[in-house]
Amino acid sequence: FFLMKKDRIVYYKDDSLKDKKGDFQLETSSSVSEIPESYHKNLPTGVGNHFFQVNIRGRSTKLACDHETEKEKWMDGISTAILQLKSGIEKVKTGADFSVHMPDRSVLTASVKTSNAKDVFLKVATTVAIQKGIQFFSLVKAYTTPDRLDFYNVFSERDNVADLGPYRLAFYRVICLKGRDDLSDPKLLAVEYSQTVRANLMFFEYDENDAIELAALQLKVKEGTINSVTHTRGFLSENLHEYMPDSQLMRYGDNAEVTNKWEADILNRAAEIEDTKKSINECMEEYITKSQENPLYGCTFFEVSMIREETDYAYILGVNSTGLHVIDRKTRSLVVSFPYVSIMRWSRSSKKFNFTTQGENHWTMLTKQGEEINKFMGIYVRFLLDNKD
């Protein structure tokens, strides 16, 4: 039996509270997060079906509740306690120095008098100084799942960005209209490149040749200069995962013969790119242009699941300017895409997102982000209608 006491979680043998078994002291570095349903099969049974985890000093403690509402109350309570430890209640009310995570994994400090999302966004936008396309960016609540996937929820203008809970404050491009980018702005180019790299590695599926080409361009951008002394066999052995997409690593990452070939091919191709004398910006632009050939380019991704034969299967739903894309979460393979012209209608609730395609085929996805999915679909559909030939 667990009790929350300010910034401490205390647990007892039962609800009589007579036999104390231990406690957890929350700290500023602590976090709380949900456990994806795909991981539930590895958790104990008979202790509740609604799981979450608390991370303290790198140690993860998994907890279970009998009801979803109970779990949400616990997560909200823990998030509030951590937030108060970090900032103090008064600081939350009056604003502070906000740490904003950027697509290239750097952290920008924004000093703002209020914690209003619009004010913080304007401060970040001024600091970043992107000249064109800033309207396609937003502050988001970002989080990373146990299987190393990044997702986010978009802040509205009036939201309080201090109310982060287990999330981190980030600045992302959230709307992407293929063919409308002006990559002549070096700041926009750098942000777009960094965000594209992250999406490619986590969510996209490529054949081996395309993956090698993108990895070689990425290596050239990161290293600046490729030379035969430094960039030899073994250079990528410890960090190949930073260059090859997860979809490839999941299939062949344990095969040393395959990974050694990947490394050799990446290094050879990077050396060929070096010989072309292309600038770093040219390599970034080429990386983005090649990535745009992938149907998932520009997607915002959401955690969803679907019931098949009474079993809950985890998927990822991508929403971009071309339609909806369903991705197998386990393999990162693209399962099916639905162009907007094939979607007849859609609806959402706090727990589901539904849509119907031509032929009256009905799709139901379990998700807490139905409203977010609806928002992005609406933006892209309106754009398509406004720009119809």
Side-chain angles (χ1 to χ4, degrees):
F1 188 84
F2 288 78
L3 283 179
M4 184 80 185
K5 296 184 176 181
K6 291 186 177 180
D7 55 4
R8 184 182 296 272
I9 302 172
V10 185
Y11 57 101
Y12 300 84
K13 181 179 180 180
D14 52 44
D15 59 6
S16 69
L17 308 184
K18 293 181 180 180
D19 187 2
K20 179 180 175 181
K21 292 296 185 179
D23 57 21
F24 307 113
Q25 175 62 56
L26 298 175
E27 301 176 355
T28 57
S29 60
S30 302
S31 64
V32 59
S33 60
E34 295 199 42
I35 300 176
E37 292 188 10
S38 58
Y39 284 76
H40 288 191
K41 61 184 178 181
N42 299 320
L43 298 174
T45 58
V47 293
N49 298 320
H50 302 273
F51 295 93
F52 66 98
Q53 59 188 354
V54 181
N55 298 292
I56 302 174
R57 294 190 178 185
R59 180 179 178 181
S60 176
T61 301
K62 297 173 176 59
L63 303 174
C65 298
D66 290 328
H67 305 287
E68 179 69 18
T69 54
E70 185 182 0
K71 183 192 77 173
E72 292 175 354
K73 288 180 180 179
W74 267 100
M75 292 184 66
D76 288 344
I78 294 171
S79 297
T80 300
I82 296 171
L83 181 62
Q84 291 177 357
L85 285 171
K86 287 181 177 179
S87 305
I89 296 176
E90 290 304 314
K91 196 171 186 180
V92 169
K93 290 180 179 178
T94 59
D97 290 342
F98 294 96
S99 297
V100 183
H101 295 255
M102 306 300 287
D104 64 356
R105 301 190 185 276
S106 64
V107 179
L108 182 152
T109 300
S111 299
V112 187
K113 292 182 179 180
T114 77
S115 54
N116 177 271
K118 181 178 180 180
D119 294 335
V120 179
F121 172 80
L122 292 174
K123 179 67 175 182
V124 175
T126 301
T127 304
V128 174
I130 292 175
Q131 299 300 315
K132 299 178 181 179
I134 195 65
Q135 71 271 25
F136 299 131
F137 287 79
S138 179
L139 289 179
V140 303
K141 293 189 292 186
Y143 64 99
T144 302
T145 61
D147 50 347
R148 299 190 304 109
L149 292 172
D150 287 349
F151 297 96
Y152 59 77
N153 300 316
V154 175
F155 277 112
S156 65
E157 289 187 349
R158 296 182 180 180
D159 284 342
N160 184 342
V161 299
D163 297 336
L164 286 174
Y167 304 97
R168 59 184 181 274
L169 183 62
F171 177 80
Y172 285 167
R173 178 169 184 161
V174 296
I175 298 296
C176 184
L177 302 173
K178 192 181 296 185
R180 300 240 168 184
D181 294 332
D182 182 358
L183 299 178
S184 61
D185 179 354
K187 294 185 181 296
L188 175 60
L189 173 64
V191 170
E192 181 73 9
Y193 167 78
S194 298
Q195 201 159 322
T196 302
V197 168
R198 294 179 71 171
N200 275 348
L201 297 180
M202 290 184 188
F203 299 104
F204 288 23
E205 183 179 33
Y206 286 102
D207 65 32
E208 183 174 302
N209 291 334
D210 287 340
I212 295 297
E213 180 69 19
L214 290 169
L217 287 165
Q218 186 187 342
L219 182 63
K220 166 62 180 173
V221 171
K222 184 175 182 179
E223 294 296 306
T225 301
I226 305 297
N227 64 74
S228 58
V229 176
T230 303
H231 304 99
T232 57
R233 182 176 178 179
F235 182 78
L236 295 176
S237 59
E238 297 298 321
N239 58 351
L240 193 61
H241 64 280
E242 296 179 9
Y243 296 91
M244 290 295 288
D246 285 351
S247 58
Q248 288 284 348
L249 293 170
M250 288 174 176
R251 294 186 182 94
Y252 309 110
D254 294 331
N255 188 322
E257 182 178 352
V258 172
T259 56
N260 287 338
K261 179 181 181 300
W262 286 348
E263 180 185 29
D265 289 347
I266 293 170
L267 293 172
N268 290 336
R269 180 60 186 135
E272 292 173 355
I273 294 171
E274 179 69 29
D275 291 339
T276 66
K277 308 299 182 184
K278 289 180 180 177
S279 68
I280 299 299
N281 282 4
E282 287 174 326
C283 289
M284 286 185 185
E285 191 165 350
E286 186 174 338
Y287 186 101
I288 293 171
T289 300
K290 188 164 188 62
S291 299
Q292 289 175 341
E293 299 171 6
N294 192 294
L296 299 181
Y297 178 78
C299 272
T300 297
F301 296 98
F302 301 93
E303 295 185 272
V304 301
S305 62
M306 289 188 284
I307 305 296
R308 299 201 330 255
E309 298 177 355
E310 299 183 355
T311 301
D312 195 352
Y313 288 91
Y315 291 92
I316 300 163
L317 180 67
V319 183
N320 66 3
S321 61
T322 64
L324 303 182
H325 310 274
V326 181
I327 304 159
D328 187 305
R329 183 161 183 160
K330 187 175 181 180
T331 64
R332 310 293 157 78
S333 297
L334 179 61
V335 178
V336 62
S337 292
F338 300 98
Y340 288 121
V341 293
S342 71
I343 300 174
M344 310 307 294
R345 55 188 176 273
W346 71 88
S347 63
R348 79 282 188 188
S349 68
S350 60
K351 294 184 178 181
K352 293 181 181 179
F353 180 77
N354 308 286
F355 62 96
T356 301
T357 59
Q358 292 172 342
E360 292 298 312
N361 295 308
H362 304 286
W363 295 77
T364 297
M365 298 185 174
L366 306 179
T367 178
K368 294 181 179 179
Q369 295 180 288
E371 190 60 47
E372 286 270 294
I373 297 169
N374 174 70
K375 183 191 304 181
F376 279 94
M377 278 191 68
I379 290 172
Y380 286 124
V381 169
R382 282 194 299 273
F383 174 81
L384 291 173
L385 291 174
D386 291 344
N387 292 271
K388 199 167 54 171
D389 292 335

